[in-house]
Amino acid sequence: MSLTSAATLATLDRTGPRRITDLAAVEGVTQPAMTALVRVMEESGLVERRGDPSDKRVTLVCLTEAGASYVRTRRQAGVHAFERLIGELTGDEVEALVAALPALKHLAELESQGREGPKQ
């Protein structure tokens, strides 16, 4: 799976159903590229298209249960990889990581705001 596909699934998991044009903007690709990507993920059973209840002209891309499961599995694999790697660090290195956690959390918040707009 491409990084854009994985990122798109993660965005849908984090933010809920989105328009293709919104997904394209968030992921930094063109609308035709996102349309093609959504079609492939739809054929794979990871996403589905549904009508927007608030505007019948709009189609939203939604995660399926298989798509949500894929996102959870990838996240868990990442957690296990970090656990294994952190287990190989020295005590001083682990302390340095713990001391850096507030700054890393702030970076994640800034990145999230940049992709989705400021948090209200």
Side-chain angles (χ1 to χ4, degrees), residues 36-84:
L37 181 67
V38 166
R39 184 173 38 254
V40 169
M41 291 191 300
E42 193 173 25
E43 290 169 359
S44 299
L46 300 172
V47 300
E48 62 186 9
R49 298 179 203 219
R50 294 185 189 155
D52 184 343
S54 66
D55 185 345
K56 300 299 182 195
R57 301 168 294 172
V58 174
T59 299
L60 298 174
V61 179
C62 309
L63 271 184
T64 62
E65 183 51 44
S69 176
Y70 179 83
V71 171
R72 285 190 302 270
T73 300
R74 276 187 63 110
R75 284 186 181 141
Q76 195 59 46
V79 167
H80 289 309
F82 272 106
E83 285 175 342
R84 182 182 54 77

